[in-house]
Amino acid sequence: MPYRKEIFTAPGIREIKKYHTYRLGGKHTRADNYQKTEEAVQKGNSRRAKEKLYRLIVTNFKRDDYRIDLTYAEPEPDPGTALNRIRKFIRQLRSKYRKKKEELKYIYVTEYRGHRIHHHVLVNAVEGIGRKEIGELWPWSKLNYRSFRLFDGDPEDCRRLAWYLIKETDESIREEGAIQKLRWCASKNLQQPKIRKQTIYSRKWSEKPKAPKGYQLAEVENGYTTDGYPFQFYRLIRILQEEKEQVRPATKKQKTVKKEINPTVTERGRP
């Protein structure tokens, strides 16, 4: 039975998923009249949304970009007013970036269910625009060290952020009259994730994949899908130049020098 190989590539990383599916000729693991429950459907949608947002973040944002939490002091605005304010904030921030001849990239979500309304924003960092300049565009609360942070940018941090943002809006977007109809709002200039799919005509794969040249293996997971088929996921991290130099073996020239030195030492050591 062949399997599907999905390759996701982003700056500095490569992630591979391998999985079997009945679409490639396998047997159904459930009865034909099986119907997923609403809860199962929602969990599947949430899982796919998390992965999609994670890939969008890791493709477009890097270490030391800005994570911003925009809150409100008293009085708390109504949902419509809050929506207008976050949109105005984005417009003004885009204008400030343009004055620096830079392009603003952003992702934000608005949350209000179970607590005071607030916005989570991720934007690309630009020299000359920091907490002070951004805080001037948000007069409804003060940006402190907790509400304005530098983004770590590694794959795990991107994944944690995606999971957190989806969790924040997972239920509220389904409510009638929800402030935010989408799970997240993003600028149109974001680069879409690079995903390549292949069909591999083989019954199985190695449980211990090897890293190709220039990469190191960072994570491997072997398991089963909800349909009962085996799957594999692993992440490859690109080796930086300085890391390569630390583990680089002796060059041919270096080996030659050693050969020239050793005979001299031997001559000196003779009785």
Side-chain angles (χ1 to χ4, degrees):
M1 174 184 173
Y3 63 84
R4 192 83 76 198
K5 182 179 181 181
E6 186 176 299
I7 305 169
F8 164 59
T9 305
I13 69 167
R14 185 185 299 173
E15 295 180 349
I16 292 87
K17 287 201 303 183
K18 300 176 182 179
Y19 54 92
H20 290 288
T21 170
Y22 65 84
R23 293 185 177 87
L24 295 178
K27 296 180 179 179
H28 285 273
T29 57
R30 293 176 175 145
D32 291 337
N33 61 353
Y34 172 83
Q35 295 292 327
K36 289 186 177 180
T37 64
E38 183 179 351
E39 182 181 2
V41 171
Q42 290 180 1
K43 285 184 178 180
N45 292 340
S46 179
R47 183 178 64 254
R48 286 186 289 272
K50 289 173 182 176
E51 183 174 57
K52 184 177 180 179
L53 181 56
Y54 156 71
R55 288 176 169 178
L56 195 64
I57 292 173
V58 78
T59 298
N60 290 278
F61 296 93
K62 62 185 186 304
R63 186 178 181 86
D64 292 339
D65 281 339
Y66 302 147
R67 278 192 61 182
I68 309 167
D69 296 329
L70 300 175
T71 58
Y72 294 93
E74 295 293 349
E76 182 180 8
D78 61 79
T81 301
L83 185 60
N84 290 334
R85 287 177 179 177
I86 183 62
R87 288 174 175 172
K88 180 180 179 181
F89 169 80
I90 292 296
R91 289 196 303 270
Q92 292 179 329
L93 188 58
R94 183 186 291 115
S95 177
K96 191 175 285 286
Y97 272 50
R98 284 174 177 169
K99 290 179 180 179
K100 295 286 185 179
K101 297 183 179 180
E102 297 285 351
E103 193 173 25
L104 173 67
K105 296 182 179 180
Y106 66 83
I107 292 175
Y108 75 83
V109 302
T110 298
E111 176 58 18
Y112 62 95
R113 194 174 188 272
H115 38 67
R116 292 176 63 85
I117 192 167
H118 59 280
H119 315 277
H120 298 290
V121 187
L122 177 65
V123 302
N124 58 312
V126 166
E127 186 176 355
I129 299 179
R131 189 171 85 183
K132 177 178 178 297
E133 291 75 18
I134 293 177
E136 292 172 351
L137 305 180
W138 193 257
W140 300 283
S141 68
K142 184 177 180 180
L143 291 187
N144 54 32
Y145 69 95
R146 289 178 296 180
S147 55
F148 186 95
R149 307 184 299 281
L150 296 181
F151 183 49
D152 285 344
D154 61 72
E156 281 307 311
D157 195 48
C158 294
R159 188 176 295 276
R160 283 193 297 268
L161 178 58
W163 261 235
Y164 176 72
L165 296 180
I166 294 299
K167 182 181 178 181
E168 284 277 281
T169 59
D170 219 5
E171 296 183 11
S172 61
I173 62 168
R174 301 188 185 97
E175 296 179 344
E176 185 176 352
I179 299 176
Q180 188 169 298
K181 302 296 183 180
L182 303 174
R183 291 181 182 271
W184 66 84
C185 296
S187 55
K188 295 181 180 180
N189 58 352
L190 295 186
Q191 182 180 350
Q192 292 305 303
K194 297 179 181 179
I195 304 168
R196 183 162 52 94
K197 294 183 180 181
Q198 301 174 340
T199 298
I200 308 299
Y201 290 91
S202 177
R203 296 177 61 87
K204 59 182 180 179
W205 51 72
S206 172
E207 292 192 357
K208 296 181 179 180
K210 295 182 179 179
K213 185 178 180 180
Y215 287 85
Q216 60 183 358
L217 193 63
E219 179 185 353
V220 180
E221 180 183 359
N222 291 287
Y224 290 87
T225 67
T226 55
D227 291 321
Y229 290 108
F231 80 89
Q232 181 182 78
F233 167 85
Y234 59 96
R235 179 183 297 139
L236 301 166
I237 304 295
R238 186 182 295 278
I239 301 174
L240 300 177
Q241 186 61 36
E242 52 266 30
E243 293 176 343
K244 290 182 181 179
E245 292 174 352
Q246 291 176 3
V247 298
R248 182 180 296 172
T251 63
K252 186 175 181 181
K253 183 177 180 180
Q254 290 172 327
K255 291 179 181 178
T256 303
V257 171
K258 289 181 180 179
K259 289 180 180 179
E260 294 172 353
I261 293 175
N262 286 339
T264 306
V265 174
T266 304
E267 291 292 326
R268 289 177 180 177
R270 285 181 180 179

